[in-house]
Amino acid sequence: MLLITILTNAQTDTLFKAYTQAVPATNVQFKMVPIPAGTFLMGSPDGDKNAEKDELPQRSFSISAFWMGAYEVTHDEFNLFFQDETFAENSKVDAVTRPTPQYIDLSWGMGTEGGYPANSMQQFTALMYCHWLYKKTGIFFRLPTEAEWEYACRAGTNTTYYFGDNANDLPGHAWYKNNSKSVYHKVGSLKPNPWGLYDILGNVAEWTLDQYDEGYFTKLTAGAADPVLAPTATHPKTVRGGSFEDEAKDLRAANRKSWEASWNQRDPQIPKSRWWLTDASFVGFRVVRPLKQPSAGEAEAFFKLHLRQ
Amino acid sequence: MESNKSRREFVKQSSLIAGGLFATKFAGANFFSGADDVIKIALVGCGGRGTGAITQALSTKQNLKLVAMADAFRDRLDDCYKALTSGDESANVKGKVDVPEDRKFTGFDGYLKAIALADVVILATPPGFRPIHFEEAIKQNKHVFMEKPVATDPAGIQKVLAAAAIAKQKKLNVVVGLQRHYQNSYKELYKRKDMIGDITSAQAWWNNDGVWVKKRQPNMTEMEYQMRNWYYFNWLCGDHITEQHIHNIDVVNWFKGGYPVKAQGMGGREVRKGKDYGEIFDHHYVEFEYADGSILNSQCRHQPKTMSRVDELLVGTKGKIQAGAANIIDHKGKVLYQFDKKTENNAYQTEHDELFAAIAKGEYKFADAENGAHSTMTSILGRMATYSGQIIAWDKAINSGISLQPKVYDWKAAPPVVPDDHGLYAVATPGVTKYTFA
């Protein structure tokens, strides 16, 4: 079975279509869907009464093609990395290093086997997973930029949600405050967006690559290609999509959320864990694979820059 | 004490009670800050938790200043100082850090000098040192925040109890970092504990993956290695049943309003073996029996990829208190009370808010040391039960005088346990390990 999966994967490498990515030497695999190149309007239109200041003014950006995980990264996938003893734990010198143990269960009993989204990790940890996955597969994965995330979420639409403007339709598409019972759910249980992305709204909020900046739209030039706010500090970075704890307005495609110090409020140590969030069970991530893969040198330079602390 | 009495008078009075050199030398002098009402703090133990605790202390609303720091290791002290003055969490505290080079103390006796310079002392070293540090702080008439556990052996417990009694006489506030006592959900459940009638049994869990490991480095003496990798040595840590699971055991003691009279249990190391892990077990399961015959079933485990749970459950004649879910149910499962988790607080912060507010007002409000010692003793009792496989009686154990401490605290001295030729440490064996109570 494993061999066949790997061969199939090799064949699909050159074709830009949905495929299943295997993690070598495991029986774990995950689905990637193609996100075609294009141009879109990011942010909220003037006069949108729900728009927050950090979503304005709306800007047009162009985005290169990439694959995106059809689902949020699950505990089953993440634990391969977390428990991969071929890498040292919490090394300050190794390129790829495993997270420290959690002192308490940060899934908070919501489920870790059979397709529940990985959660409670810092952006650093999510990016380290990508670096690990790159080492494992030889394919460059990373977190989406904010612009890539919103572009993929909107999937060619320009409404509040990818299915329209009516929040009453949310329950069929997203786990949020009104239907989640305050816990995350197995990924892919509800309807996907037009490009095949499940739980892109709700369930766990998703880490992006960007430094959070309230003035995102004033810092970036209209018409820019593949915009991103490069890292200037460990915190704050941006999450998107809202979560099982959030209200409908926080699940809007344009909504942006910053890391907050309170996400590690109950971590009794200082420095706070660079791996875990004690008070943000609602945070997770999904990965992207740029169609145009970087060179090995570029990939390592990317991880060096973004994992710098 | 009259509430309008100023903090300075209170501190001065506390000093005068002891009389002697200290009071004569320091009372009335604006010794460091020049400001009248600034409360001076010394931090003893500058690791991750010590850095966290002083950050919380300095984040309270009171007029405070960190004036002295002590740690066995200079690098740990430096990391702490750096975190407080330029780290991610330093924004609100760096202006209150006033620790020049001559008030940074290292080695085993640095605490003596640091304590002398403060009004309030934060004790956050590995717990093996807590008894001597607490004793010294009380001797020097200081208010204390100290982390749990407060000892690792019965002799240490006695030392803490003796100092706790003196702290009461001197009206020195003592808060112990068993923060569930300061957590809204636990306080609200406690207020309503009569809803479940008499507590007839309880369960407590700290099952998870385990904690950090520090590898041996070339040129380390055995003493330095154990001090760095302290979690795995009983004289320093007390095993994870004491260092971590104490939180859950303490909750049951609190709700029961007492401490067990005896314990028996089982444990061992099944997964976490080898020379990096010293002498501690990776699992313990203990039946603690209280005077009324009720049982606390306590389990703690450090084994990755196993069921994870950190929680307490109290079962009464009329219902159950589920601490993790923060609710009270009857025996049919009907919810009788549900704590609103949105009103939960950060208890790590609250314990400092309340302590420093009391000190600033000159109030004597907190005497946590005795319970801290007795709950620590409960966990030690459990460890003695799992190590020996025998029934261990509270009275005998607490009065046993057993000490795990080294005779000399020195980098070149031999610690109480040393590795064999293969680098392995002796581990307790149930049925073989014995405690002889004289």
Side-chain angles (χ1 to χ4, degrees):
Chain A
M1 271 308 289
L2 190 61
L3 270 176
I4 293 164
T5 314
I6 290 167
L7 287 172
T8 313
N9 172 29
Q11 282 166 359
T12 56
D13 264 0
T14 51
L15 301 170
F16 190 48
K17 61 180 192 185
Y19 78 100
T20 299
Q21 177 68 53
V23 182
T26 73
N27 55 9
V28 171
Q29 51 187 34
F30 53 92
K31 189 178 176 189
M32 300 293 289
V33 295
I35 307 297
T39 300
F40 83 120
L41 270 177
M42 183 170 172
S44 290
D46 281 344
D48 180 339
K49 64 176 168 44
N50 281 321
E52 293 170 38
K53 200 163 57 175
D54 66 353
E55 303 162 18
L56 302 166
Q58 208 169 30
R59 287 258 192 270
S60 171
F61 295 123
S62 66
I63 303 292
S64 303
F66 59 94
W67 280 274
M68 190 175 219
Y71 308 105
E72 291 158 344
V73 172
T74 63
H75 283 287
D76 313 78
E77 293 154 24
F78 184 84
N79 283 345
L80 297 175
F81 156 60
F82 192 7
Q83 296 163 358
D84 186 345
E85 293 182 1
T86 57
F87 294 94
E89 181 184 305
N90 196 30
S91 167
K92 298 284 164 75
V93 290
D94 297 356
V96 174
T97 174
R98 273 187 300 137
T100 53
Q102 299 179 346
Y103 290 2
I104 53 172
D105 167 25
L106 294 175
S107 72
W108 302 101
M110 293 189 283
T112 56
E113 282 176 23
Y116 292 100
N119 72 323
S120 297
M121 77 290 286
Q122 299 271 15
Q123 193 229 30
F124 172 82
T125 314
L127 272 165
M128 191 64 85
Y129 172 84
C130 297
H131 198 184
W132 171 85
L133 197 55
Y134 171 55
K135 292 276 189 219
K136 283 291 198 195
T137 60
I139 297 168
F140 177 72
F141 291 91
R142 59 167 168 77
L143 296 176
T145 65
E146 276 203 73
E148 286 168 342
W149 188 94
E150 187 169 327
Y151 174 66
C153 173
R154 290 184 175 281
T157 70
N158 56 10
T159 43
T160 305
Y161 309 100
Y162 59 75
F163 51 79
D165 291 320
N166 192 347
N168 292 336
D169 295 332
L170 261 179
H173 294 267
W175 297 110
Y176 70 120
K177 195 175 180 182
N178 287 18
N179 64 350
S180 71
K181 298 197 162 82
S182 302
V183 292
Y184 59 53
H185 292 259
K186 285 190 181 181
V187 300
S189 311
L190 301 174
K191 282 183 265 186
N193 85 349
W195 287 350
L197 301 170
Y198 293 82
D199 307 299
I200 191 82
L201 301 179
N203 216 21
V204 287
E206 298 173 11
W207 279 118
T208 65
L209 199 56
D210 297 57
Q211 193 80 43
Y212 176 81
D213 192 318
E214 195 180 52
Y216 179 91
F217 290 96
T218 56
K219 292 244 163 113
L220 296 168
T221 318
D226 298 319
V228 59
L229 291 182
T232 53
T234 304
H235 303 299
K237 302 284 169 46
T238 311
V239 298
R240 301 297 299 259
S243 78
F244 64 86
E245 288 191 352
D246 287 321
E247 295 176 19
K249 69 175 172 53
D250 298 319
L251 271 70
R252 292 173 302 108
N255 189 44
R256 307 174 59 229
K257 191 177 177 76
S258 170
W259 169 94
E260 290 173 21
S262 65
W263 291 4
N264 245 344
Q265 183 175 270
R266 282 179 295 173
D267 181 347
Q269 314 254 338
I270 288 182
K272 304 280 189 183
S273 171
R274 64 178 182 151
W275 297 99
W276 303 115
L277 297 165
T278 53
D279 299 82
S281 61
F282 51 85
V283 172
F285 68 104
R286 79 176 70 212
V287 297
V288 299
R289 167 186 172 176
L291 178 62
K292 184 176 182 300
Q293 286 277 295
S295 68
E298 287 167 340
E300 289 303 340
F302 169 89
F303 286 117
K304 200 170 174 190
L305 171 71
H306 286 273
L307 291 168
R308 183 185 57 193
Q309 287 198 319
Chain B
M1 177 158 289
E2 290 163 51
S3 60
N4 61 356
K5 206 167 260 184
S6 78
R7 201 267 328 159
R8 278 198 62 78
E9 285 173 281
F10 176 58
V11 170
K12 189 156 58 174
Q13 186 185 59
S14 296
S15 306
L16 288 168
I17 289 166
L21 188 64
F22 173 79
T24 322
K25 195 171 168 192
F26 293 106
N30 292 334
F31 198 64
F32 295 115
S33 61
D36 266 345
D37 274 335
V38 72
I39 299 170
K40 298 186 287 274
I41 309 176
L43 173 63
V44 178
C46 301
R49 182 58 203 130
T51 311
I54 187 62
T55 300
Q56 281 139 4
L58 295 177
S59 302
T60 66
K61 290 178 189 150
Q62 314 309 326
N63 184 12
L64 311 175
K65 197 159 261 191
L66 175 65
V67 299
M69 298 164 74
D71 196 280
F73 296 110
R74 180 67 204 214
D75 59 305
R76 299 295 278 162
L77 192 154
D78 287 344
D79 286 350
C80 174
Y81 185 81
K82 207 170 128 194
L84 295 175
T85 51
S86 61
D88 285 342
E89 329 286 338
S90 68
N92 300 320
V93 304
K94 58 185 168 194
K96 300 173 189 170
V97 178
D98 179 21
V99 189
E101 205 51 28
D102 63 354
R103 281 184 248 141
K104 293 175 178 168
F105 304 102
T106 55
F108 286 102
D109 57 358
Y111 74 100
L112 291 165
K113 295 165 196 155
I115 288 171
L117 300 173
D119 304 318
V120 186
V121 180
I122 292 178
L123 303 178
T125 64
F129 295 105
R130 200 87 70 247
I132 57 173
H133 291 175
F134 180 57
E135 182 180 54
E136 182 64 26
I138 298 305
K139 189 175 148 202
Q140 293 197 31
N141 308 303
K142 313 301 182 184
H143 302 279
V144 171
F145 171 84
M146 62 174 161
E147 261 307 333
K148 42 47 65 176
V150 302
T152 59
D153 53 40
I157 295 291
Q158 295 292 1
K159 210 180 267 281
V160 172
L161 287 171
I166 297 168
K168 271 189 186 171
Q169 289 165 17
K170 292 183 175 180
K171 293 188 158 55
L172 295 167
N173 287 292
V174 179
V175 166
V176 172
L178 289 163
Q179 78 282 348
R180 283 164 176 75
H181 291 267
Y182 296 85
Q183 190 171 337
N184 290 345
S185 55
Y186 283 88
K187 284 162 77 175
E188 293 302 315
L189 291 171
Y190 183 80
K191 274 187 214 162
R192 294 169 177 81
K193 72 185 170 72
D194 291 345
M195 288 172 79
I196 67 164
D198 294 332
I199 297 170
T200 51
S201 72
Q203 285 178 259
W205 300 262
W206 194 305
N207 293 347
N208 217 292
D209 294 358
V211 303
W212 48 265
V213 182
K214 297 275 162 61
K215 300 266 187 196
R216 191 188 292 272
Q217 303 298 329
N219 305 325
M220 274 185 179
T221 63
E222 182 62 25
M223 183 63 92
E224 176 175 358
Y225 169 66
Q226 293 194 17
M227 289 283 285
R228 295 276 185 190
N229 199 28
W230 64 264
Y231 208 94
Y232 301 93
F233 297 95
N234 282 324
W235 66 279
L236 288 160
C237 164
D239 206 327
H240 63 109
I241 188 174
T242 292
E243 207 282 334
Q244 213 171 41
H245 189 40
I246 182 179
H247 281 298
N248 319 102
I249 293 170
D250 169 65
V251 166
V252 177
N253 287 341
W254 176 24
F255 280 62
K256 279 294 293 179
Y259 306 93
V261 293
K262 60 183 175 181
Q264 79 86 23
M266 59 186 76
R269 42 198 260 162
E270 226 13 83
V271 175
R272 189 173 57 192
K273 298 187 267 201
K275 55 188 179 182
D276 289 339
Y277 308 108
E279 56 177 335
I280 71 172
F281 280 6
D282 64 8
H283 64 286
H284 304 256
Y285 196 112
V286 184
E287 280 180 2
F288 291 101
E289 188 173 328
Y290 291 84
D292 63 2
S294 58
I295 300 288
L296 158 60
N297 286 293
S298 128
Q299 52 183 297
C300 58
R301 176 170 60 194
H302 278 182
Q303 295 174 352
K305 303 183 227 180
T306 60
M307 185 209 80
S308 180
R309 185 170 186 184
V310 178
D311 202 354
E312 305 89 25
L313 171 73
L314 297 131
V315 182
T317 48
K318 297 186 206 159
K320 297 174 187 168
I321 297 171
Q322 307 187 110
N327 65 18
I328 300 177
I329 58 173
D330 69 14
H331 286 307
K332 288 183 177 146
K334 186 183 161 201
V335 177
L336 305 175
Y337 166 74
Q338 176 66 57
F339 172 77
D340 178 2
K341 289 195 175 184
K342 288 197 182 56
T343 63
E344 191 64 286
N345 60 325
N346 175 7
Y348 293 109
Q349 185 59 50
T350 304
E351 60 191 3
H352 287 277
D353 290 345
E354 294 190 7
L355 171 63
F356 284 96
I359 293 170
K361 284 186 212 153
E363 292 174 353
Y364 174 56
K365 272 178 80 173
F366 298 103
D368 289 356
E370 195 176 326
N371 174 65
H374 283 142
S375 275
T376 302
M377 185 61 221
T378 313
S379 69
I380 293 170
L381 188 74
R383 184 187 74 216
M384 293 169 81
T386 62
Y387 278 15
S388 66
Q390 309 298 328
I391 297 172
I392 306 289
W394 172 281
D395 286 344
K396 286 186 177 169
I398 195 171
N399 295 312
S400 65
I402 290 173
S403 169
L404 306 179
Q405 300 309 308
K407 291 196 175 62
V408 188
Y409 292 108
D410 185 280
W411 295 117
K412 292 188 180 120
V417 291
V418 291
D420 67 15
D421 294 344
H422 306 287
L424 295 165
Y425 297 84
V427 175
T429 308
V432 176
T433 299
K434 284 198 163 44
Y435 297 103
T436 43
F437 300 119

